[in-house]
Amino acid sequence: MPVVPNRGGVEAPRDLVALGLQAARNAIETEAAAVSALADRLDGVFLDVLIAVAGCEGHLVVTGLGKSGLVGRKIAATLASTGTPATFIHSGDALHGDSGAVTNRDLVLALSASGETAEVCAFARMLVEREIPVIAMTGNEESTLARIATFTLDTMVLREADPLNLAPTASTTATLAMGDALACALVVLRDFSHHDFARFHPSGALGRRLLQGDDA
């Protein structure tokens, strides 16, 4: 059987390499379809969330666990850099004291693909008991988290992108895209400008380019 050597000296059968390449193509197509499907879900609930976040007097606190937590950190960073005060609190840490950082002026965006992540749901319950609104971003609108939340943004995907349909791939991409959609809509609502963006990004190539444009 023909083989393809790799840099580590291990040889892989060409037919297996071909299957791997097809799996890579399938992953991109699956994730693209998952993101595209979100556009039809930007309904009244999304508008309610948009208005709530735009009117928030405190911070939008993003929370999650595992891969959803990693995506949540990026969503919080994107929001903060585009004019929406936002921060991230790990759901596990929230149950060990960090929930005290959340005030009655804040909103919380809770991420869980299944909507059943124990720590995320427990944190959400604590917040609701304190009358702090919770926005769920989940792939299961019938989940525990969705029932607890004030608003639920649907990020359901038909399947994950990996061949086993197990690894968080399409679901995390869809969640990230929904977070970006929220950030982009808020840029418009806040009339956030190139100048505002430059003030938040004084360093790096992007910051220099924007600031040089202001000086021109």
Side-chain angles (χ1 to χ4, degrees):
M1 178 182 295
V3 295
V4 177
N6 65 25
R7 293 182 179 179
V10 178
E11 297 180 336
R14 287 185 181 276
D15 58 348
L16 197 60
V17 171
L19 288 173
L21 183 58
Q22 186 57 51
R25 292 194 180 102
N26 291 343
I28 291 174
E29 291 170 357
T30 299
E31 296 198 11
V35 170
S36 180
L38 295 178
D40 292 333
R41 301 180 206 163
L42 303 185
D43 53 13
V45 175
F46 183 86
L47 291 176
D48 290 341
V49 169
L50 186 60
I51 292 168
V53 176
C56 178
E57 297 179 350
H59 284 73
L60 179 62
V61 178
V62 185
T63 190
L65 196 72
K67 304 301 186 295
S68 291
L70 295 173
V71 171
R73 289 182 187 275
K74 194 276 178 183
I75 291 175
T78 297
L79 288 163
S81 71
T82 52
T84 297
T87 189
F88 177 83
I89 295 179
H90 188 277
S91 299
D93 293 338
L95 302 184
H96 292 271
D98 284 10
S99 61
V102 186
T103 74
N104 290 333
R105 294 162 59 89
D106 299 331
L107 288 172
V108 174
L109 175 62
L111 278 53
S112 171
S114 67
E116 301 295 342
T117 308
E119 294 88 345
V120 177
C121 292
F123 186 22
R125 287 192 188 93
M126 293 169 60
L127 296 164
V128 170
E129 289 173 359
R130 294 173 54 192
E131 299 183 348
I132 297 172
V134 174
I135 303 163
M137 195 178 286
T138 178
N140 184 358
E141 292 188 292
E142 303 301 322
S143 64
T144 300
L145 180 61
R147 291 194 298 269
I148 294 170
T150 311
F151 309 103
T152 298
L153 295 175
D154 179 15
T155 55
M156 183 273 296
V157 298
L158 295 178
R159 61 163 289 126
E160 296 291 3
D162 75 292
L164 301 177
N165 190 25
L166 292 174
T169 46
S171 59
T172 48
T173 300
T175 300
L176 181 59
M178 185 66 84
D180 285 344
L182 181 61
C184 291
L186 288 163
V187 165
V188 175
L189 260 66
R190 297 185 188 283
D191 196 22
F192 192 78
S193 68
H194 287 81
H195 178 70
D196 296 324
F197 197 90
R199 289 191 298 112
F200 289 171
H201 296 77
S203 296
L206 178 58
R208 287 194 299 272
R209 177 168 62 82
L210 289 169
L211 291 171
Q212 287 169 359
D214 284 348
D215 293 338

